[in-house]
Amino acid sequence: MKVTEIMKQKLCFSFEVFPPKSENPIEPLLNTLDHLYKFDPDFISCTYGAGGTNAGRNVEICKAIQDSGKSTAVTHFTCIGNSKEKIAQELQAYLDRGIDHILALRGDFPKGWKETRGDFNYANELTEFIKENFPKFCIAVAGNPEKHFQADSFDTDTTHLRIKQDSGADFIMTQLCHDVNQYQWWVEKIRKAGVSIPIDVGVMPVLVKDPTIRMAVSNGSAIPRDLAEIIGRYGDNPEDFKKAGMEYTIKQIHKFINAGIDGLHIYSLNKWKDISDIVNEIGIRKIQE
Ligand code: FAD
């Protein structure tokens, strides 16, 4: 079933994983997936390195998810350094493997790049290309509740999101946002601007201090006072930090659910044990043995 159909019926629940580097084995991630399937996720998305750096491994992992029969695979895909011809080949390869859900992204520029160096400059162009030439795909696009860090204003970023919808996007997957009030403000803003497609909210679990800070800063996301307090109080003690961070994450998830969302997407960071503890605690899915 298409993810957008699920969203019409209930709160969609999903995970994100990232593929291993080509020189590393895939078995640990397959084992992680086996643990995540136990929560009966509606889909599992797999990241794609800008410039296709891990394209092969991404396809392997998406195929494993799809072939498991236990979830739907959603592949991330970027247009960085990609020609139309190569994109068409890669999209067909996904469809040939039964993978018909895609997150259409521009991608982050590799160090020193100021443009995509490919045939598409923005995600809306990729979205339009997919819609026109590969209509079997259900297409997600990225949304930024705190505005994309390169956008001059919320107004222009909202206009660009509306263009992605009008180019054929079926739903939005959000960038991490620790501030639920800010998320609600943004939803109101984009709805007023005519963005009406469902929103799948991405939650980044707070587990380790340095990556928590790094990921927020690199995406232009705020660290709210209560999270800053955890960093200040437990930053030198990884165990206490994780415990407080997990409690914080569980509270955030409840706040998002209460705010009324179409989907909850947990960035699993490939850490099935911590993620299982969080999901068990939020109680929205019981383990299926
Ligand atoms: P766009 O929508 O193209 O927007 C990029 C910037 O350009 C924005 O500032 C926007 O306002 C502006 N813009 C958009 N359209 C236009 C236009 N037509 N004219 C002028 N300006 C425009 N990156 C990866 O490399 N691999 C991944 O797997 C990955 N997964 C992600 C998953 C999620 C859920 C999210 C939210 C992001 C992910 N990213 C990933 C990061 C993403 O690639 C970056 O945020 C990137 O900088 C922007 O991608 P985008 O698709 O939002 O770009």
Side-chain angles (χ1 to χ4, degrees), residues 16 47-50 76 78 103-108 121-124 142-144 148-151 156-157 160 163-164 173-175 267:
E16 175 188 289
T47 63
Y48 179 100
H76 298 203
T78 80
L103 170 59
L105 299 157
R106 183 198 69 185
D108 281 325
N121 296 312
Y122 296 104
N124 68 281
N144 292 273
H148 185 260
F149 62 93
Q150 289 172 320
T156 52
D157 208 32
H160 296 143
I163 294 172
K164 290 199 276 195
M173 293 174 71
T174 69
Q175 187 54 270
Y267 304 135

PDB file of all heavy atoms in Angstrom, residues 16 47-50 76 78 103-108 121-124 142-144 148-151 156-157 160 163-164 173-175 267, ligand 1:
ATOM      1  N   GLU A  16      14.392   5.521   9.699  1.00  0.00           N
ATOM      2  CA  GLU A  16      15.424   5.789   8.691  1.00  0.00           C
ATOM      3  C   GLU A  16      16.669   4.992   9.056  1.00  0.00           C
ATOM      4  O   GLU A  16      17.018   4.901  10.229  1.00  0.00           O
ATOM      5  CB  GLU A  16      15.786   7.287   8.671  1.00  0.00           C
ATOM      6  CG  GLU A  16      16.949   7.615   7.737  1.00  0.00           C
ATOM      7  CD  GLU A  16      17.431   9.058   7.874  1.00  0.00           C
ATOM      8  OE1 GLU A  16      16.709   9.968   7.449  1.00  0.00           O
ATOM      9  OE2 GLU A  16      18.545   9.265   8.415  1.00  0.00           O
ATOM     10  N   THR A  47      19.105   6.204   3.411  1.00  0.00           N
ATOM     11  CA  THR A  47      19.744   7.415   2.898  1.00  0.00           C
ATOM     12  C   THR A  47      20.607   7.114   1.665  1.00  0.00           C
ATOM     13  O   THR A  47      20.931   5.956   1.373  1.00  0.00           O
ATOM     14  CB  THR A  47      20.616   8.109   3.970  1.00  0.00           C
ATOM     15  OG1 THR A  47      21.664   7.222   4.333  1.00  0.00           O
ATOM     16  CG2 THR A  47      19.800   8.470   5.196  1.00  0.00           C
ATOM     17  N   TYR A  48      20.956   8.190   0.974  1.00  0.00           N
ATOM     18  CA  TYR A  48      21.694   8.102  -0.298  1.00  0.00           C
ATOM     19  C   TYR A  48      22.761   9.183  -0.244  1.00  0.00           C
ATOM     20  O   TYR A  48      22.431  10.368  -0.079  1.00  0.00           O
ATOM     21  CB  TYR A  48      20.691   8.357  -1.422  1.00  0.00           C
ATOM     22  CG  TYR A  48      21.215   8.334  -2.833  1.00  0.00           C
ATOM     23  CD1 TYR A  48      21.043   7.202  -3.635  1.00  0.00           C
ATOM     24  CD2 TYR A  48      21.824   9.455  -3.398  1.00  0.00           C
ATOM     25  CE1 TYR A  48      21.487   7.190  -4.949  1.00  0.00           C
ATOM     26  CE2 TYR A  48      22.268   9.439  -4.712  1.00  0.00           C
ATOM     27  CZ  TYR A  48      22.090   8.309  -5.476  1.00  0.00           C
ATOM     28  OH  TYR A  48      22.522   8.294  -6.778  1.00  0.00           O
ATOM     29  N   GLY A  49      24.038   8.808  -0.350  1.00  0.00           N
ATOM     30  CA  GLY A  49      25.113   9.801  -0.258  1.00  0.00           C
ATOM     31  C   GLY A  49      25.074  10.742  -1.446  1.00  0.00           C
ATOM     32  O   GLY A  49      24.922  10.300  -2.582  1.00  0.00           O
ATOM     33  N   ALA A  50      25.169  12.057  -1.159  1.00  0.00           N
ATOM     34  CA  ALA A  50      25.147  13.030  -2.253  1.00  0.00           C
ATOM     35  C   ALA A  50      26.231  12.666  -3.269  1.00  0.00           C
ATOM     36  O   ALA A  50      27.351  12.324  -2.899  1.00  0.00           O
ATOM     37  CB  ALA A  50      25.371  14.425  -1.698  1.00  0.00           C
ATOM     38  N   HIS A  76      16.039   7.352  -0.404  1.00  0.00           N
ATOM     39  CA  HIS A  76      16.382   8.765  -0.558  1.00  0.00           C
ATOM     40  C   HIS A  76      17.137   8.844  -1.884  1.00  0.00           C
ATOM     41  O   HIS A  76      17.788   7.882  -2.301  1.00  0.00           O
ATOM     42  CB  HIS A  76      17.303   9.246   0.565  1.00  0.00           C
ATOM     43  CG  HIS A  76      16.696   9.156   1.942  1.00  0.00           C
ATOM     44  ND1 HIS A  76      17.136   9.932   2.989  1.00  0.00           N
ATOM     45  CD2 HIS A  76      15.708   8.375   2.446  1.00  0.00           C
ATOM     46  CE1 HIS A  76      16.425   9.648   4.076  1.00  0.00           C
ATOM     47  NE2 HIS A  76      15.561   8.693   3.770  1.00  0.00           N
ATOM     48  N   THR A  78      19.354  11.876  -4.441  1.00  0.00           N
ATOM     49  CA  THR A  78      19.732  13.284  -4.653  1.00  0.00           C
ATOM     50  C   THR A  78      20.177  13.517  -6.093  1.00  0.00           C
ATOM     51  O   THR A  78      20.605  12.586  -6.779  1.00  0.00           O
ATOM     52  CB  THR A  78      20.890  13.739  -3.727  1.00  0.00           C
ATOM     53  OG1 THR A  78      22.128  13.284  -4.274  1.00  0.00           O
ATOM     54  CG2 THR A  78      20.740  13.202  -2.311  1.00  0.00           C
ATOM     55  N   LEU A 103      12.321   9.578  -1.805  1.00  0.00           N
ATOM     56  CA  LEU A 103      12.439  10.929  -1.232  1.00  0.00           C
ATOM     57  C   LEU A 103      13.324  11.714  -2.197  1.00  0.00           C
ATOM     58  O   LEU A 103      14.528  11.442  -2.292  1.00  0.00           O
ATOM     59  CB  LEU A 103      13.055  10.862   0.171  1.00  0.00           C
ATOM     60  CG  LEU A 103      13.460  12.194   0.824  1.00  0.00           C
ATOM     61  CD1 LEU A 103      12.270  13.149   0.960  1.00  0.00           C
ATOM     62  CD2 LEU A 103      14.078  11.940   2.209  1.00  0.00           C
ATOM     63  N   ALA A 104      12.720  12.637  -2.942  1.00  0.00           N
ATOM     64  CA  ALA A 104      13.443  13.369  -3.997  1.00  0.00           C
ATOM     65  C   ALA A 104      14.112  14.601  -3.394  1.00  0.00           C
ATOM     66  O   ALA A 104      13.447  15.531  -2.943  1.00  0.00           O
ATOM     67  CB  ALA A 104      12.468  13.770  -5.097  1.00  0.00           C
ATOM     68  N   LEU A 105      15.442  14.594  -3.410  1.00  0.00           N
ATOM     69  CA  LEU A 105      16.221  15.649  -2.754  1.00  0.00           C
ATOM     70  C   LEU A 105      17.195  16.307  -3.731  1.00  0.00           C
ATOM     71  O   LEU A 105      17.649  15.667  -4.683  1.00  0.00           O
ATOM     72  CB  LEU A 105      17.071  15.045  -1.636  1.00  0.00           C
ATOM     73  CG  LEU A 105      16.347  14.351  -0.488  1.00  0.00           C
ATOM     74  CD1 LEU A 105      17.292  13.349   0.184  1.00  0.00           C
ATOM     75  CD2 LEU A 105      15.845  15.381   0.516  1.00  0.00           C
ATOM     76  N   ARG A 106      17.509  17.569  -3.430  1.00  0.00           N
ATOM     77  CA  ARG A 106      18.644  18.157  -4.138  1.00  0.00           C
ATOM     78  C   ARG A 106      19.922  17.536  -3.604  1.00  0.00           C
ATOM     79  O   ARG A 106      20.799  17.147  -4.350  1.00  0.00           O
ATOM     80  CB  ARG A 106      18.679  19.683  -3.920  1.00  0.00           C
ATOM     81  CG  ARG A 106      19.809  20.337  -4.703  1.00  0.00           C
ATOM     82  CD  ARG A 106      20.143  21.716  -4.177  1.00  0.00           C
ATOM     83  NE  ARG A 106      20.775  21.659  -2.855  1.00  0.00           N
ATOM     84  CZ  ARG A 106      21.074  22.716  -2.123  1.00  0.00           C
ATOM     85  NH1 ARG A 106      20.778  23.923  -2.561  1.00  0.00           N
ATOM     86  NH2 ARG A 106      21.662  22.590  -0.930  1.00  0.00           N
ATOM     87  N   GLY A 107      20.042  17.473  -2.278  1.00  0.00           N
ATOM     88  CA  GLY A 107      21.265  16.982  -1.637  1.00  0.00           C
ATOM     89  C   GLY A 107      22.120  18.140  -1.153  1.00  0.00           C
ATOM     90  O   GLY A 107      21.977  19.280  -1.606  1.00  0.00           O
ATOM     91  N   ASP A 108      22.983  17.849  -0.196  1.00  0.00           N
ATOM     92  CA  ASP A 108      23.936  18.859   0.299  1.00  0.00           C
ATOM     93  C   ASP A 108      25.130  18.889  -0.640  1.00  0.00           C
ATOM     94  O   ASP A 108      25.587  17.843  -1.106  1.00  0.00           O
ATOM     95  CB  ASP A 108      24.398  18.497   1.715  1.00  0.00           C
ATOM     96  CG  ASP A 108      23.360  18.875   2.754  1.00  0.00           C
ATOM     97  OD1 ASP A 108      22.682  19.911   2.554  1.00  0.00           O
ATOM     98  OD2 ASP A 108      23.223  18.143   3.740  1.00  0.00           O
ATOM     99  N   ASN A 121      18.995  21.562 -10.734  1.00  0.00           N
ATOM    100  CA  ASN A 121      19.531  22.461  -9.712  1.00  0.00           C
ATOM    101  C   ASN A 121      18.811  22.355  -8.374  1.00  0.00           C
ATOM    102  O   ASN A 121      19.392  22.653  -7.334  1.00  0.00           O
ATOM    103  CB  ASN A 121      19.431  23.912 -10.198  1.00  0.00           C
ATOM    104  CG  ASN A 121      20.297  24.134 -11.419  1.00  0.00           C
ATOM    105  OD1 ASN A 121      21.460  23.751 -11.432  1.00  0.00           O
ATOM    106  ND2 ASN A 121      19.713  24.715 -12.469  1.00  0.00           N
ATOM    107  N   TYR A 122      17.532  21.985  -8.434  1.00  0.00           N
ATOM    108  CA  TYR A 122      16.730  21.951  -7.210  1.00  0.00           C
ATOM    109  C   TYR A 122      15.854  20.702  -7.193  1.00  0.00           C
ATOM    110  O   TYR A 122      15.559  20.112  -8.232  1.00  0.00           O
ATOM    111  CB  TYR A 122      15.836  23.203  -7.118  1.00  0.00           C
ATOM    112  CG  TYR A 122      16.628  24.478  -7.002  1.00  0.00           C
ATOM    113  CD1 TYR A 122      16.773  25.323  -8.096  1.00  0.00           C
ATOM    114  CD2 TYR A 122      17.261  24.805  -5.809  1.00  0.00           C
ATOM    115  CE1 TYR A 122      17.532  26.490  -7.999  1.00  0.00           C
ATOM    116  CE2 TYR A 122      18.015  25.969  -5.695  1.00  0.00           C
ATOM    117  CZ  TYR A 122      18.149  26.803  -6.790  1.00  0.00           C
ATOM    118  OH  TYR A 122      18.894  27.941  -6.680  1.00  0.00           O
ATOM    119  N   ALA A 123      15.395  20.376  -5.982  1.00  0.00           N
ATOM    120  CA  ALA A 123      14.591  19.159  -5.821  1.00  0.00           C
ATOM    121  C   ALA A 123      13.291  19.202  -6.617  1.00  0.00           C
ATOM    122  O   ALA A 123      12.794  18.164  -7.052  1.00  0.00           O
ATOM    123  CB  ALA A 123      14.290  18.939  -4.336  1.00  0.00           C
ATOM    124  N   ASN A 124      12.728  20.407  -6.845  1.00  0.00           N
ATOM    125  CA  ASN A 124      11.459  20.462  -7.597  1.00  0.00           C
ATOM    126  C   ASN A 124      11.652  19.962  -9.035  1.00  0.00           C
ATOM    127  O   ASN A 124      10.748  19.366  -9.624  1.00  0.00           O
ATOM    128  CB  ASN A 124      10.849  21.865  -7.569  1.00  0.00           C
ATOM    129  CG  ASN A 124      11.661  22.896  -8.331  1.00  0.00           C
ATOM    130  OD1 ASN A 124      12.668  23.386  -7.837  1.00  0.00           O
ATOM    131  ND2 ASN A 124      11.237  23.219  -9.546  1.00  0.00           N
ATOM    132  N   ALA A 142      11.640  16.984   0.971  1.00  0.00           N
ATOM    133  CA  ALA A 142      12.076  17.476   2.287  1.00  0.00           C
ATOM    134  C   ALA A 142      11.363  18.770   2.653  1.00  0.00           C
ATOM    135  O   ALA A 142      11.106  19.617   1.786  1.00  0.00           O
ATOM    136  CB  ALA A 142      13.587  17.713   2.263  1.00  0.00           C
ATOM    137  N   GLY A 143      11.045  18.918   3.944  1.00  0.00           N
ATOM    138  CA  GLY A 143      10.497  20.173   4.467  1.00  0.00           C
ATOM    139  C   GLY A 143      11.305  20.587   5.688  1.00  0.00           C
ATOM    140  O   GLY A 143      11.786  19.732   6.433  1.00  0.00           O
ATOM    141  N   ASN A 144      11.469  21.880   5.872  1.00  0.00           N
ATOM    142  CA  ASN A 144      12.331  22.386   6.956  1.00  0.00           C
ATOM    143  C   ASN A 144      11.562  23.305   7.898  1.00  0.00           C
ATOM    144  O   ASN A 144      11.400  24.499   7.600  1.00  0.00           O
ATOM    145  CB  ASN A 144      13.516  23.151   6.343  1.00  0.00           C
ATOM    146  CG  ASN A 144      14.458  22.246   5.591  1.00  0.00           C
ATOM    147  OD1 ASN A 144      15.378  21.665   6.156  1.00  0.00           O
ATOM    148  ND2 ASN A 144      14.201  22.078   4.298  1.00  0.00           N
ATOM    149  N   HIS A 148      15.184  26.066   5.482  1.00  0.00           N
ATOM    150  CA  HIS A 148      16.443  25.495   4.999  1.00  0.00           C
ATOM    151  C   HIS A 148      17.551  26.510   5.258  1.00  0.00           C
ATOM    152  O   HIS A 148      17.354  27.716   5.060  1.00  0.00           O
ATOM    153  CB  HIS A 148      16.336  25.167   3.500  1.00  0.00           C
ATOM    154  CG  HIS A 148      17.547  24.480   2.966  1.00  0.00           C
ATOM    155  ND1 HIS A 148      18.533  25.132   2.273  1.00  0.00           N
ATOM    156  CD2 HIS A 148      17.952  23.189   3.069  1.00  0.00           C
ATOM    157  CE1 HIS A 148      19.488  24.260   1.948  1.00  0.00           C
ATOM    158  NE2 HIS A 148      19.153  23.076   2.416  1.00  0.00           N
ATOM    159  N   PHE A 149      18.713  26.037   5.682  1.00  0.00           N
ATOM    160  CA  PHE A 149      19.767  26.970   6.110  1.00  0.00           C
ATOM    161  C   PHE A 149      20.267  27.891   4.997  1.00  0.00           C
ATOM    162  O   PHE A 149      20.828  28.940   5.263  1.00  0.00           O
ATOM    163  CB  PHE A 149      20.947  26.204   6.753  1.00  0.00           C
ATOM    164  CG  PHE A 149      21.642  25.250   5.816  1.00  0.00           C
ATOM    165  CD1 PHE A 149      22.747  25.643   5.105  1.00  0.00           C
ATOM    166  CD2 PHE A 149      21.172  23.945   5.662  1.00  0.00           C
ATOM    167  CE1 PHE A 149      23.388  24.759   4.236  1.00  0.00           C
ATOM    168  CE2 PHE A 149      21.802  23.053   4.802  1.00  0.00           C
ATOM    169  CZ  PHE A 149      22.911  23.467   4.072  1.00  0.00           C
ATOM    170  N   GLN A 150      20.011  27.526   3.726  1.00  0.00           N
ATOM    171  CA  GLN A 150      20.455  28.405   2.636  1.00  0.00           C
ATOM    172  C   GLN A 150      19.354  29.360   2.156  1.00  0.00           C
ATOM    173  O   GLN A 150      19.610  30.220   1.325  1.00  0.00           O
ATOM    174  CB  GLN A 150      20.919  27.562   1.439  1.00  0.00           C
ATOM    175  CG  GLN A 150      22.233  26.837   1.710  1.00  0.00           C
ATOM    176  CD  GLN A 150      22.582  25.848   0.601  1.00  0.00           C
ATOM    177  OE1 GLN A 150      21.711  25.161   0.083  1.00  0.00           O
ATOM    178  NE2 GLN A 150      23.857  25.800   0.244  1.00  0.00           N
ATOM    179  N   ALA A 151      18.135  29.190   2.687  1.00  0.00           N
ATOM    180  CA  ALA A 151      17.032  30.053   2.244  1.00  0.00           C
ATOM    181  C   ALA A 151      17.121  31.404   2.944  1.00  0.00           C
ATOM    182  O   ALA A 151      17.434  31.483   4.127  1.00  0.00           O
ATOM    183  CB  ALA A 151      15.698  29.383   2.547  1.00  0.00           C
ATOM    184  N   THR A 156      10.385  32.641   1.264  1.00  0.00           N
ATOM    185  CA  THR A 156      10.912  32.050   0.014  1.00  0.00           C
ATOM    186  C   THR A 156      10.997  30.524   0.157  1.00  0.00           C
ATOM    187  O   THR A 156      10.681  29.793  -0.782  1.00  0.00           O
ATOM    188  CB  THR A 156      12.311  32.597  -0.366  1.00  0.00           C
ATOM    189  OG1 THR A 156      13.173  32.471   0.761  1.00  0.00           O
ATOM    190  CG2 THR A 156      12.278  34.029  -0.822  1.00  0.00           C
ATOM    191  N   ASP A 157      11.385  30.052   1.327  1.00  0.00           N
ATOM    192  CA  ASP A 157      11.487  28.588   1.515  1.00  0.00           C
ATOM    193  C   ASP A 157      10.099  27.946   1.367  1.00  0.00           C
ATOM    194  O   ASP A 157       9.967  26.857   0.796  1.00  0.00           O
ATOM    195  CB  ASP A 157      12.084  28.289   2.894  1.00  0.00           C
ATOM    196  CG  ASP A 157      12.849  26.957   2.907  1.00  0.00           C
ATOM    197  OD1 ASP A 157      13.431  26.586   1.864  1.00  0.00           O
ATOM    198  OD2 ASP A 157      12.841  26.283   3.947  1.00  0.00           O
ATOM    199  N   HIS A 160       9.193  27.703  -2.232  1.00  0.00           N
ATOM    200  CA  HIS A 160       9.894  26.586  -2.887  1.00  0.00           C
ATOM    201  C   HIS A 160       9.268  25.237  -2.510  1.00  0.00           C
ATOM    202  O   HIS A 160       9.215  24.325  -3.322  1.00  0.00           O
ATOM    203  CB  HIS A 160      11.388  26.622  -2.532  1.00  0.00           C
ATOM    204  CG  HIS A 160      12.062  27.857  -3.056  1.00  0.00           C
ATOM    205  ND1 HIS A 160      13.048  28.531  -2.374  1.00  0.00           N
ATOM    206  CD2 HIS A 160      11.872  28.550  -4.205  1.00  0.00           C
ATOM    207  CE1 HIS A 160      13.427  29.581  -3.075  1.00  0.00           C
ATOM    208  NE2 HIS A 160      12.735  29.617  -4.184  1.00  0.00           N
ATOM    209  N   ILE A 163       6.253  24.857  -4.618  1.00  0.00           N
ATOM    210  CA  ILE A 163       6.633  24.462  -5.998  1.00  0.00           C
ATOM    211  C   ILE A 163       6.890  22.950  -6.047  1.00  0.00           C
ATOM    212  O   ILE A 163       6.518  22.274  -7.007  1.00  0.00           O
ATOM    213  CB  ILE A 163       7.878  25.272  -6.479  1.00  0.00           C
ATOM    214  CG1 ILE A 163       7.528  26.756  -6.622  1.00  0.00           C
ATOM    215  CG2 ILE A 163       8.409  24.732  -7.817  1.00  0.00           C
ATOM    216  CD1 ILE A 163       8.732  27.675  -6.902  1.00  0.00           C
ATOM    217  N   LYS A 164       7.496  22.412  -4.980  1.00  0.00           N
ATOM    218  CA  LYS A 164       7.750  20.954  -4.964  1.00  0.00           C
ATOM    219  C   LYS A 164       6.418  20.201  -4.951  1.00  0.00           C
ATOM    220  O   LYS A 164       6.271  19.192  -5.630  1.00  0.00           O
ATOM    221  CB  LYS A 164       8.619  20.572  -3.751  1.00  0.00           C
ATOM    222  CG  LYS A 164      10.061  21.078  -3.867  1.00  0.00           C
ATOM    223  CD  LYS A 164      11.030  20.347  -2.954  1.00  0.00           C
ATOM    224  CE  LYS A 164      11.093  20.854  -1.559  1.00  0.00           C
ATOM    225  NZ  LYS A 164      12.272  20.357  -0.807  1.00  0.00           N
ATOM    226  N   MET A 173       8.670  14.957   4.130  1.00  0.00           N
ATOM    227  CA  MET A 173       9.408  14.380   5.257  1.00  0.00           C
ATOM    228  C   MET A 173      10.255  15.518   5.835  1.00  0.00           C
ATOM    229  O   MET A 173      10.988  16.183   5.104  1.00  0.00           O
ATOM    230  CB  MET A 173      10.293  13.216   4.789  1.00  0.00           C
ATOM    231  CG  MET A 173       9.461  12.040   4.324  1.00  0.00           C
ATOM    232  SD  MET A 173      10.427  10.694   3.607  1.00  0.00           S
ATOM    233  CE  MET A 173      11.249  10.031   5.049  1.00  0.00           C
ATOM    234  N   THR A 174      10.131  15.733   7.148  1.00  0.00           N
ATOM    235  CA  THR A 174      10.779  16.930   7.711  1.00  0.00           C
ATOM    236  C   THR A 174      12.211  16.683   8.179  1.00  0.00           C
ATOM    237  O   THR A 174      12.583  15.579   8.570  1.00  0.00           O
ATOM    238  CB  THR A 174      10.001  17.516   8.911  1.00  0.00           C
ATOM    239  OG1 THR A 174      10.094  16.609  10.012  1.00  0.00           O
ATOM    240  CG2 THR A 174       8.572  17.813   8.565  1.00  0.00           C
ATOM    241  N   GLN A 175      12.948  17.781   8.144  1.00  0.00           N
ATOM    242  CA  GLN A 175      14.283  17.837   8.747  1.00  0.00           C
ATOM    243  C   GLN A 175      14.110  17.790  10.264  1.00  0.00           C
ATOM    244  O   GLN A 175      13.025  18.111  10.778  1.00  0.00           O
ATOM    245  CB  GLN A 175      14.928  19.167   8.321  1.00  0.00           C
ATOM    246  CG  GLN A 175      16.369  19.352   8.709  1.00  0.00           C
ATOM    247  CD  GLN A 175      17.251  18.212   8.248  1.00  0.00           C
ATOM    248  OE1 GLN A 175      17.424  17.237   8.990  1.00  0.00           O
ATOM    249  NE2 GLN A 175      17.794  18.305   7.057  1.00  0.00           N
ATOM    250  N   TYR A 267      14.716   8.701  13.044  1.00  0.00           N
ATOM    251  CA  TYR A 267      16.058   8.486  12.482  1.00  0.00           C
ATOM    252  C   TYR A 267      16.739   7.460  13.391  1.00  0.00           C
ATOM    253  O   TYR A 267      17.131   7.793  14.518  1.00  0.00           O
ATOM    254  CB  TYR A 267      16.864   9.785  12.475  1.00  0.00           C
ATOM    255  CG  TYR A 267      16.206  10.945  11.744  1.00  0.00           C
ATOM    256  CD1 TYR A 267      16.167  12.215  12.292  1.00  0.00           C
ATOM    257  CD2 TYR A 267      15.620  10.759  10.495  1.00  0.00           C
ATOM    258  CE1 TYR A 267      15.576  13.284  11.619  1.00  0.00           C
ATOM    259  CE2 TYR A 267      15.017  11.822   9.816  1.00  0.00           C
ATOM    260  CZ  TYR A 267      15.004  13.072  10.388  1.00  0.00           C
ATOM    261  OH  TYR A 267      14.417  14.118   9.733  1.00  0.00           O
TER     262      TYR A 267
HETATM  263  P1  FAD B   1      15.670  21.962  -2.338  1.00  0.00           P
HETATM  264  O1  FAD B   1      14.227  21.735  -2.088  1.00  0.00           O
HETATM  265  O2  FAD B   1      16.129  22.037  -3.755  1.00  0.00           O
HETATM  266  O3  FAD B   1      16.067  23.302  -1.557  1.00  0.00           O
HETATM  267  C1  FAD B   1      17.438  23.698  -1.399  1.00  0.00           C
HETATM  268  C2  FAD B   1      17.506  25.214  -1.199  1.00  0.00           C
HETATM  269  O4  FAD B   1      17.176  25.882  -2.421  1.00  0.00           O
HETATM  270  C3  FAD B   1      16.500  25.754  -0.171  1.00  0.00           C
HETATM  271  O5  FAD B   1      17.111  26.832   0.484  1.00  0.00           O
HETATM  272  C4  FAD B   1      15.311  26.211  -0.997  1.00  0.00           C
HETATM  273  O6  FAD B   1      14.574  27.272  -0.400  1.00  0.00           O
HETATM  274  C5  FAD B   1      15.991  26.659  -2.293  1.00  0.00           C
HETATM  275  N1  FAD B   1      15.177  26.352  -3.489  1.00  0.00           N
HETATM  276  C6  FAD B   1      14.400  25.256  -3.699  1.00  0.00           C
HETATM  277  N2  FAD B   1      13.833  25.297  -4.916  1.00  0.00           N
HETATM  278  C7  FAD B   1      14.253  26.436  -5.500  1.00  0.00           C
HETATM  279  C8  FAD B   1      14.021  27.033  -6.772  1.00  0.00           C
HETATM  280  N3  FAD B   1      13.222  26.446  -7.681  1.00  0.00           N
HETATM  281  N4  FAD B   1      14.656  28.216  -7.056  1.00  0.00           N
HETATM  282  C9  FAD B   1      15.464  28.805  -6.155  1.00  0.00           C
HETATM  283  N5  FAD B   1      15.717  28.293  -4.925  1.00  0.00           N
HETATM  284  C10 FAD B   1      15.123  27.109  -4.599  1.00  0.00           C
HETATM  285  N6  FAD B   1      20.923  14.584   1.929  1.00  0.00           N
HETATM  286  C11 FAD B   1      21.645  13.605   1.330  1.00  0.00           C
HETATM  287  O7  FAD B   1      22.666  13.900   0.695  1.00  0.00           O
HETATM  288  N7  FAD B   1      21.278  12.283   1.415  1.00  0.00           N
HETATM  289  C12 FAD B   1      20.170  11.894   2.083  1.00  0.00           C
HETATM  290  O8  FAD B   1      19.847  10.713   2.120  1.00  0.00           O
HETATM  291  C13 FAD B   1      19.383  12.896   2.733  1.00  0.00           C
HETATM  292  N8  FAD B   1      18.260  12.575   3.410  1.00  0.00           N
HETATM  293  C14 FAD B   1      17.455  13.561   3.929  1.00  0.00           C
HETATM  294  C15 FAD B   1      16.254  13.201   4.574  1.00  0.00           C
HETATM  295  C16 FAD B   1      15.399  14.185   5.060  1.00  0.00           C
HETATM  296  C17 FAD B   1      14.096  13.777   5.720  1.00  0.00           C
HETATM  297  C18 FAD B   1      15.748  15.568   4.933  1.00  0.00           C
HETATM  298  C19 FAD B   1      14.834  16.628   5.443  1.00  0.00           C
HETATM  299  C20 FAD B   1      16.951  15.925   4.341  1.00  0.00           C
HETATM  300  C21 FAD B   1      17.817  14.936   3.825  1.00  0.00           C
HETATM  301  N9  FAD B   1      19.025  15.249   3.206  1.00  0.00           N
HETATM  302  C22 FAD B   1      19.802  14.265   2.621  1.00  0.00           C
HETATM  303  C23 FAD B   1      19.530  16.632   3.242  1.00  0.00           C
HETATM  304  C24 FAD B   1      19.135  17.461   2.003  1.00  0.00           C
HETATM  305  O9  FAD B   1      19.762  16.903   0.873  1.00  0.00           O
HETATM  306  C25 FAD B   1      19.611  18.882   2.272  1.00  0.00           C
HETATM  307  O10 FAD B   1      18.797  19.499   3.224  1.00  0.00           O
HETATM  308  C26 FAD B   1      19.819  19.766   1.066  1.00  0.00           C
HETATM  309  O11 FAD B   1      20.628  20.884   1.468  1.00  0.00           O
HETATM  310  C27 FAD B   1      18.562  20.340   0.437  1.00  0.00           C
HETATM  311  O12 FAD B   1      17.823  19.375  -0.172  1.00  0.00           O
HETATM  312  P2  FAD B   1      16.302  19.701  -0.594  1.00  0.00           P
HETATM  313  O13 FAD B   1      15.800  18.530  -1.306  1.00  0.00           O
HETATM  314  O14 FAD B   1      15.536  20.246   0.531  1.00  0.00           O
HETATM  315  O15 FAD B   1      16.594  20.899  -1.654  1.00  0.00           O
END
